[in-house]
């Protein structure tokens, strides 16, 4: 897959292709992604769309990463990770 900007319909096509190319069953994809099996099935049949969060989790489970584009620069920028908190036990 290229790093070109994807519009909504392009993202749907990429996601469907990734699911098909994975060779995994919808049940296995559901286990790996946490997206309900029936949601995946209805999405693949074109009966419904997936929420962005569900699409992202499904792509993650297939080895892809969804990133937000920096429109001004026209390049993909990864989402920043939250600042880790260090918690220590007092003795």
């Amino acid at each position: 897959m290229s790093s070109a900007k994807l519009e909504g319909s392009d993202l749907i096509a990429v996601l469907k292709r990734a699911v098909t190319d994975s060779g995994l069953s919808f049940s296995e994809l559901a286990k790996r992604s946490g997206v309900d099996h029936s949601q995946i099935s209805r999405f693949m049949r074109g009966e419904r769309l997936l929420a962005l969060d569900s699409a992202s989790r499904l792509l993650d489970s297939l080895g892809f990463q969804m990133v937000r584009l920096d429109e001004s620069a026209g390049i993909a920028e990864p989402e920043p990770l939250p600042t880790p908190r260090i918690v220590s036990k007092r003795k």
Side-chain angles (χ1 to χ4, degrees):
M1 303 282 160
S2 73
S3 61
K5 180 178 177 181
L6 297 175
E7 299 297 330
S9 61
D10 295 331
L11 179 58
I12 292 168
V14 167
L15 183 52
K16 285 184 175 183
R17 178 72 184 259
V19 168
T20 301
D21 289 352
S22 75
L24 298 171
S25 69
F26 295 163
S27 295
E28 182 60 29
L29 286 172
K31 288 177 193 172
R32 292 181 181 201
S33 67
V35 177
D36 187 72
H37 170 275
S38 63
Q39 286 182 322
I40 297 170
S41 179
R42 289 193 309 261
F43 169 74
M44 293 299 291
R45 290 193 309 260
E47 295 175 3
R48 70 167 309 214
L49 296 176
L50 290 176
L52 191 56
D53 177 61
S54 296
S56 179
R57 288 186 286 140
L58 194 55
L59 284 169
D60 285 346
S61 73
L62 294 168
F64 294 91
Q65 181 182 17
M66 193 179 306
V67 295
R68 181 179 53 169
L69 292 178
D70 178 350
E71 295 292 332
S72 62
I75 57 172
E77 292 290 331
E79 292 285 337
L81 296 174
T83 305
R85 289 181 26 205
I86 300 174
V87 179
S88 60
K89 289 185 177 179
R90 291 188 176 180
K91 292 186 179 182

